[in-house]
Structures are given as structure tokens and as C-alpha cells.
């Protein structure tokens, strides 16, 4: 039955299930999370004979979480064996010109890799409670293909200097598309739509992803180091203010390209 459901429906379903799983885990009886949600549920229930309704609900949440864990272990999934700099692939792979599948194989790789890499970056930055939506990465991929095909084509033309500029421009456009789709949602935070990127932690998560993609695209050794992602996180954090300011300009892609090009040229 699941194979008959369209890919976009399956991806959205996974995102909703992950959100439900996170909510359940926060309310386990052995969790250190806030018990406020359980109190809210208990307040809306009919009078319960005896005490300990909150404890009962938290044990029920634990039982559901344990059942989901067992079910998950029985279902094959495509989580990368390692989630570090070696997970990141070239933009040439994610946006291959001859990738005509439905959905394209590059899109499946992109949304899967970006989901797990985003989780890794959030951990590295110490940002807790954020939710990552795989479907939003798929939408960013589709938008990148439809709106910036010229930048993707330019990466395959010219010499080394031209390729560096083209990759920096493609990374800049990809960051704009990813920020627009908001694949990373911070807990309890709704960004100002008039300035969606300025100063927000979701940009701190997304900028290292595109920078790592750029490094992987320019790497000709074929043997990427695991610390590429860590380097991208550190460098993007140092340049965060400049990256955020670019989103307040009408020529955002050009402004970001001016930031990314020297970084891609000098980082390993």
C-alpha cells in the first residue's frame, strides 16, 4: 500500500510522524522534559478517581514510544551509516542534468542527506527542540531546479575560476531557496516574514549545509574528510552577520556569492 502512495505524500507523512514521535518522547515518564503538556491534558479530562493521572499519562506515552521504537527497528530505512563531512555530496550529484526519475534520484539523496546533516548541525550548535522537515528540503530542491537552472548549468562550463564562481552562486541560490521553504522550525519561534533569515538560528543551521555542499562540489580528490561539516559550521558561524545581512538586500544571491566565493576558495 505504501508503495502506491506518491513520494511527496510519503515524505510529508514521515515529517508528521516524526513530530508526533518527538511530542511523545518529551512526555515519557522517564524523560527530563517539561511536564506542562501532560498537566494541560489532565486539566481537560473528566474527574479521575484517585491521584496520579499525570503519571499514568506519562507511562502511556512511554509505552507508545517503546512500541514505535520496536516497529522502527523492523522497517528498513536509508539513514546514512555515518553523518559527517563524508555524507555531503556534490551539487553535481544532487542536481545531475540527466536525472529524470520520478522523483529524481538526486532529490531523494538531497532531502535525505540534508535532513540528517541538519540534525547533526543543530546538535553541534547546541540548538534543542528544533524540528526538521524533509518535505521542505524536497521543495527547495525542486525550486532550485526550476528557478536556477542557469546557475547549475554554469557549474559545468569554463575553467577552475569560473567553476568556483558558479559553485558559489549556486550555493547562494540554494541557501535562499532553503530559507524560503523553512525546513528547520525552531521550537516556539515564528520568524518575521519581512526578514526571514536575519539573526535566526535556522539560518545558522542551513548556511553550513550549503557551504559543505560547495566544498564537496569543488573537491577533486574523491576522498572528503569527515571534518568538512565541522569546518563549515565554524566558518558559517563566523560569517553569520554578513550572511544574515545579505537577506535584507534586493540582490541577495549576489551578496551571498561575494561571501561564499572566498570561503570556498580557501577552505580545504
Amino acid at each position: 500500500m505504501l508503495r502506491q502512495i506518491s513520494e511527496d505524500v510519503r515524505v510529508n507523512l514521515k515529517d508528521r510522524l516524526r513530530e508526533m514521535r518527538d511530542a511523545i518522547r518529551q512526555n515519557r515518564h522517564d524523560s527530563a522534559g517539561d511536564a506542562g503538556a501532560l498537566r494541560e491534558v489532565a486539566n481537560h479530562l473528566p474527574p479521575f478517581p484517585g491521584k496520579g493521572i499525570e503519571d499514568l499519562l506519562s507511562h502511556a506515552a512511554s509505552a507508545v514510544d517503546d512500541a514505535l521504537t520496536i516497529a522502527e527497528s523492523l522497517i528498513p530505512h536509508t539513514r546514512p551509516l555515518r553523518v559527517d563531512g563524508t555524507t555531503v555530496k556534490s551539487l553535481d550529484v544532487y542536481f545531475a542534468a540527466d536525472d529524470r526519475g520520478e522523483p529524481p534520484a538526486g532529490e531523494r539523496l538531497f532531502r535525505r542527506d540534508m535532513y540528517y546533516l541538519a540534525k547533526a548541525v543543530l546538535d553541534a550548535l547546541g540548538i534543542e527542540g528544533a524540528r526538521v522537515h524533509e518535505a521542505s528540503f524536497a521543495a527547495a530542491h525542486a525550486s532550485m531546479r526550476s528557478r536556477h537552472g542557469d546557475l547549475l548549468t554554469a557549474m559545468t562550463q569554463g575553467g577552475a575560476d569560473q567553476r568556483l564562481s558558479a559553485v558559489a552562486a549556486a550555493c547562494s541560490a540554494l541557501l535562499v531557496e532553503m530559507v524560503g521553504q523553512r525546513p528547520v522550525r525552531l521550537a516556539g519561534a515564528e520568524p518575521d516574514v519581512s526578514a526571514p533569515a536575519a539573526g535566526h538560528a535556522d539560518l545558522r543551521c542551513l548556511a553550513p549545509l550549503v557551504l559543505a555542499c560547495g566544498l564537496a562540489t569543488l573537491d577533486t580528490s574523491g576522498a572528503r574528510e569527515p571534518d568538512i561539516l565541522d569546518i563549515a559550521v565554524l566558518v558559517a558561524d563566523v560569517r553569520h552577520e554578513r550572511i544574515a545581512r545579505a537577506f535584507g538586500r534586493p540582490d541577495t544571491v549576489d551578496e551571498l556569492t561575494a561571501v561564499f566565493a572566498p570561503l570556498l576558495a580557501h577552505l580545504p
Side-chain angles (χ1 to χ4, degrees):
M1 178 179 176
L2 287 177
R3 293 181 181 179
Q4 297 173 355
I5 301 176
S6 65
E7 187 75 10
D8 59 336
V9 172
R10 281 192 286 175
V11 173
N12 278 282
L13 180 59
K14 282 199 294 183
D15 285 336
R16 300 291 82 76
L17 289 173
R18 284 164 175 158
E19 289 185 356
M20 181 183 71
R21 180 70 174 276
D22 288 342
I24 291 172
R25 277 189 168 165
Q26 290 171 12
N27 293 304
R28 288 181 61 99
H29 75 283
D30 52 359
S31 170
D34 185 8
L38 288 177
R39 294 192 185 96
E40 184 68 19
V41 173
N43 290 337
H44 290 82
L45 289 175
F48 188 78
K51 298 181 180 180
I53 181 62
E54 291 178 21
D55 191 47
L56 177 64
L57 290 173
S58 64
H59 277 78
S62 300
V64 174
D65 184 32
D66 291 340
L68 288 173
T69 298
I70 295 172
E72 186 179 43
S73 68
L74 300 176
I75 300 174
H77 56 84
T78 56
R79 176 184 170 86
L81 295 178
R82 299 172 60 185
V83 181
D84 54 26
T86 61
T87 306
V88 187
K89 297 172 185 60
S90 165
L91 294 177
D92 298 320
V93 173
Y94 290 138
F95 297 95
D98 58 351
D99 192 358
R100 305 298 181 187
E102 187 55 46
E107 179 201 296
R108 292 196 298 271
L109 281 173
F110 179 79
R111 59 176 166 77
R112 182 203 68 168
D113 289 353
M114 293 302 109
Y115 173 83
Y116 288 110
L117 289 167
K119 301 282 279 188
V121 171
L122 288 167
D123 287 342
L125 293 172
I127 299 174
E128 299 180 353
R131 292 176 177 171
V132 182
H133 289 180
E134 194 174 325
S136 297
F137 283 120
H141 184 280
S143 184
M144 182 69 185
R145 270 198 180 281
S146 63
R147 298 182 59 187
H148 303 288
D150 57 331
L151 298 181
L152 296 173
T153 300
M155 293 193 306
T156 64
Q157 301 172 350
D161 291 340
Q162 290 83 356
R163 180 166 170 79
L164 171 62
S165 299
V167 170
C171 288
S172 302
L174 181 58
L175 180 57
V176 171
E177 297 302 330
M178 285 167 52
V179 166
Q181 296 296 335
R182 292 189 60 217
V184 178
R185 310 289 177 90
L186 303 183
E190 281 297 325
D192 180 1
V193 294
S194 64
H200 289 110
D202 51 350
L203 178 62
R204 292 179 62 210
C205 172
L206 297 175
L209 299 184
V210 299
L211 189 56
C213 286
L215 292 171
T217 305
L218 294 170
D219 179 29
T220 58
S221 68
R224 287 186 295 279
E225 296 297 327
D227 61 356
I228 283 180
L229 185 63
D230 296 329
I231 292 172
V233 171
L234 293 173
V235 172
D237 197 48
V238 170
R239 291 289 187 268
H240 175 71
E241 292 301 323
R242 284 195 62 189
I243 294 172
R245 282 200 303 270
F247 281 83
R249 309 284 180 82
D251 52 347
T252 302
V253 172
D254 291 339
E255 291 285 337
L256 288 173
T257 301
V259 178
F260 286 144
L263 297 178
L264 293 174
H266 294 98
L267 290 175

